Amino acid sequence: DELKGLERSNCLEGDPDLQFLLDGGKLVKIRSSSWKKARFFKLLEDCKTFWHESGKPFRKNQTFSIDDIDSVRMGRQSEGLNKHTDPSIDEQCFAIIFKGRKKNLDLMAASGQEAKQWVNGLEKIMTTMKNLSRQQNSEHWIINCMRKADKNDDNQMSLKELKHFLRQVNVEVDDSYAEELFKKCDTSNSGSLEGSEIKHFYDLLTHREEIDVVYGNSAETEGQMSKASMEDALKLIEKYEVDETAKQKNRMTKDGFLMYLHHEDGSILNPAHKDVYQDMTQPLNHYYMSSSHNTYLMEDQLKGPSSTEAYIKALMKSCRCVELDCWDGANGEPVIYHGYTLTSKVLFRDVIRAIKEYAFKTSEYPVVLSLENHCTVEQQKLMAHYLISILGDALVTRPLGNTMSKNFPSPEELKGKILIKGKRLNKVNASLNNNSTIDEDTVSEEDEAADCKDNGQKSKPKKSKIKLAKALSDIVIYCKSVHFNGFEHAKENQEFYEMSSFKETKAFNLAETSATAYIHHNMDKLSRIYPAGSRTDSSNYNPVPMWNVGCQIVALNFQTPSKEMHINQGRFLPNGVCGYILKPEFQRSLSSQFDPNTLTNGPWLQRKNFYVMVISAQQLPKLNKDKQKSIVDPLVRVEIFGVPADNASKETHYIENNGFNPMWNEKFHFDIHVPELAMVRFVVEDYDSTSQNDLIGHYCLPLTSVQNGYRHIPLLTKRGDIISSAGLFVHLMLIDAQ
């Protein structure tokens, strides 16, 4: 009962929207225009699991976790609902969008009011779960595992059930230890644990010896927990101390200290970097921009599905540059898909509607639409019509202030604006007062379009000429696509708003052989990098060398979970996850002679020592949930990505059969030369002597956003979603080299 009380306290008890979910009700599940079935849905008592009945008698009723939900959308805001339902029932519809590749759940309630109740309740409980500290999530998870281990629902725990529970929480102990633990808690000698005995077992299990050591060492200094000022220490005590008596005495207990470590102030990410903190008034090309390649694809580049959902997911991750491959479609309607392949098609207008709806949900800073145009003039005119009519005032159709300046406007000036990147018939200035009646002309196609036909072959692709509609040309203002003919040619002939796209092989070669020239090119122009056509599996290249030479639009396949996407997620984690990161000053100053490959003396050289002590991990997830006896053997690897001189990787030994509370206490040291370009990634893997290790979790962030001291590090899944109960405990020191 004590444990249930703890669990229910996390659960909005007494809230009418919560009670509505607990009571449940009938909803119509929609899969197609002809498949619409009524099903009963409800929230289970643990407040974390949603249950719904199955229509097949031989199939168990189905459940999913609230943690699996990415978002809930009111109205016909999913691809399925938009396609299979009538606009007249918009108010009754809502969709549950899951993390990863799990299909959306498209639902219809009996009324608009009922649909609102479902959506309000779900959003409220999702927000509550998100706002729980990792410690509370950990408690919630352990209690849920305890309940599952209680096979006969008698609120007692036998020795057999205790062993089953320990395997569930990812720890393997020998029988003698399990029996010893059981006897220590079974004070009534009844042969089963109940009431306060279960609470005692829970306290023993969750006791963290390493916290005792850290707290004991820190508390010797008159109650001050670090080198923080007395004023800072008192603020932390006021905010996190749970014992009122200790608080009145300006002291922090171990429970208060643990609470502090699990909250924002104790996180590895500097709280000052969590919101937008950088200067957003610099020219647009002075920022790295979170960018996606072939955004419409959900899977591979050859036969996978195209979807508006892919755009929504990228934009909701604050991606600020998305790609649209545009082709002639049936009935005069332009479509988006990967040309010369079997990937499915999605209507251009549906994609623009989705972009209009979701472009600024998570970031108010500008979005660039990178058009790869293969359409005939007539369908190009329709594209221009959709862009202008759907995007409205958000679309930039003239230079700000109606006159073209000498450099880009800033992200701040472009808040809420959408820019078109594409081919243009003439210079921007030439057309502002141009009343020409010519509505089309010929231009060379995009570099990437030529590579698309080449499909990854080594031969140089032939560039074709295409006819370009004036209506589409005229809305290309700050991102006019031009072919790259060398840095000297660009310096002499290119306007600042004329930008080139580089295939990764070309870009990597330039970064290696002409790094300083590339950096100077990017000081007043934009560069977009895209994956080679040979990456038909939608794999990714390493974005770090491209950032090292100041490239802004480093486009990756967002649909592919990979180390490269983890690094990208880490790069854009600070600054409010707004999709823009200000480049270091030495990549913006015309006097800079920075070369990441040679590291001559200059303001970029700020040598640091980075000391990492990997102490422990908590509640790592089981990877093979189908095998109850499968326990992980975790190890931790610390990786540095930056200029070549800083790239490094070091790892701990692995610990056998303990994913619940493994402890390493291993120390590493890294020499850092250019901290402003360095990223640190923490990786937890399940060791396997016969095959490749499996990823358990990871976390990446810029080294300049790391907080020194004892820190808890959250862990993310391969797809970048947080693992609510899991984490690493480390000690970090980034200090100037002597």
Side-chain angles (χ1 to χ4, degrees), residues 381-414:
K381 290 176 182 177
L382 196 52
M383 286 167 57
H385 168 72
Y386 287 141
L387 288 164
I388 293 165
S389 62
I390 294 171
L391 299 179
D393 291 342
L395 182 67
V396 173
T397 58
R398 294 178 72 83
L400 297 195
N402 286 328
T403 55
M404 187 58 93
S405 61
K406 300 256 195 237
N407 51 31
F408 287 98
S410 69
E412 189 67 30
E413 291 172 298
L414 290 167

Side-chain angles (χ1 to χ4, degrees), residues 536-550:
T536 55
D537 58 351
S538 293
S539 59
N540 280 309
Y541 58 89
N542 180 6
V544 175
M546 299 296 94
W547 294 325
N548 287 349
V549 290

Side-chain angles (χ1 to χ4, degrees), residues 11-35:
C11 197
L12 293 167
E13 199 151 14
D15 185 275
D17 287 326
L18 172 69
Q19 194 56 51
F20 176 80
L21 297 183
L22 290 168
D23 293 339
K26 287 271 186 184
L27 290 167
V28 176
K29 185 177 175 182
I30 298 170
R31 283 188 184 162
S32 69
S33 301
S34 58
W35 198 103

Side-chain angles (χ1 to χ4, degrees), residues 433-712:
N433 300 306
N434 184 4
N435 297 316
S436 170
T437 57
I438 299 173
D439 68 353
E440 66 181 74
D441 207 342
T442 303
V443 294
S444 61
E445 68 180 342
E446 293 273 1
D447 289 350
E448 190 172 353
D451 288 335
C452 177
K453 290 182 295 188
D454 172 52
N455 202 25
Q457 300 301 312
K458 288 186 179 178
S459 59
K460 189 174 181 180
K462 291 180 181 177
K463 294 191 69 181
S464 305
K465 295 285 186 179
I466 62 165
K467 285 192 173 180
L468 179 63
K470 181 176 183 296
L472 193 58
S473 166
D474 283 352
I475 56 175
V476 173
I477 305 299
Y478 289 112
C479 301
K480 177 187 174 183
S481 298
V482 297
H483 181 66
F484 178 72
N485 289 306
F487 293 125
E488 280 304 314
H489 181 273
K491 188 176 180 181
E492 296 297 325
N493 299 284
Q494 251 177 260
E495 301 287 349
F496 77 88
Y497 57 81
E498 293 180 317
M499 62 174 290
S500 301
S501 289
F502 302 81
K503 184 162 66 174
E504 62 170 283
T505 47
K506 171 86 170 174
F508 273 75
N509 181 54
L510 289 171
E512 198 171 313
T513 59
S514 310
T516 304
Y518 212 166
I519 290 166
H520 276 262
H521 175 81
N522 290 323
M523 285 180 187
D524 67 347
K525 295 174 184 66
L526 287 168
S527 290
R528 177 177 172 270
I529 318 300
Y530 60 93
S534 55
R535 293 185 181 273
T536 55
D537 58 351
S538 293
S539 59
N540 280 309
Y541 58 89
N542 180 6
V544 175
M546 299 296 94
W547 294 325
N548 287 349
V549 290
C551 295
Q552 303 88 349
I553 303 177
V554 181
L556 298 178
N557 289 307
F558 266 54
Q559 72 273 28
T560 306
S562 58
K563 176 174 75 174
E564 295 80 16
M565 271 306 297
H566 300 164
I567 295 169
N568 193 76
Q569 187 175 4
R571 163 57 71 200
F572 294 98
L573 177 67
N575 207 36
V577 198
C578 75
Y580 285 86
I581 293 290
L582 184 64
K583 295 196 287 184
E585 203 274 337
F586 55 79
Q587 288 189 341
R588 296 180 276 124
S589 169
L590 292 172
S591 63
S592 173
Q593 289 302 306
F594 173 63
D595 183 334
N597 305 310
T598 58
L599 290 186
T600 53
N601 279 329
W604 47 85
L605 204 60
Q606 302 169 28
R607 295 198 61 171
K608 305 272 185 184
N609 287 314
F610 185 41
Y611 297 98
V612 179
M613 182 179 184
V614 178
I615 302 172
S616 62
Q618 299 77 44
Q619 280 103 66
L620 302 176
K622 285 170 73 80
L623 295 183
N624 193 341
K625 292 180 181 177
D626 296 331
K627 290 185 180 178
Q628 289 188 355
K629 292 190 176 180
S630 172
I631 310 294
V632 299
D633 304 324
L635 61 82
V636 178
R637 187 166 60 256
V638 184
E639 301 170 337
I640 305 292
F641 300 94
V643 298
D646 288 345
N647 293 335
S649 175
K650 298 181 181 182
E651 69 182 36
T652 67
H653 67 286
Y654 69 91
I655 292 177
E656 285 192 69
N657 291 332
N658 187 354
F660 184 71
N661 55 2
M663 198 176 299
W664 292 275
N665 288 319
E666 289 196 39
K667 296 177 181 178
F668 303 127
H669 168 242
F670 299 91
D671 285 317
I672 307 294
H673 300 81
V674 187
E676 288 184 89
L677 291 176
M679 308 282 297
V680 57
R681 179 174 178 244
F682 297 86
V683 187
V684 185
E685 290 182 340
D686 180 15
Y687 173 77
D688 194 318
S689 59
T690 59
S691 62
Q692 190 174 358
N693 294 348
D694 292 319
L695 177 73
I696 297 174
H698 68 93
Y699 191 79
C700 182
L701 75 167
L703 193 62
T704 50
S705 292
V706 167
Q707 283 205 102
N708 282 344
Y710 289 101
R711 302 294 167 197
H712 272 115

Side-chain angles (χ1 to χ4, degrees), residues 717-733:
T717 65
K718 189 175 184 180
R719 290 194 168 275
D721 300 312
I722 194 147
I723 307 170
S724 57
S725 59
L728 274 179
F729 185 49
V730 299
H731 185 264
L732 307 167
M733 287 301 291

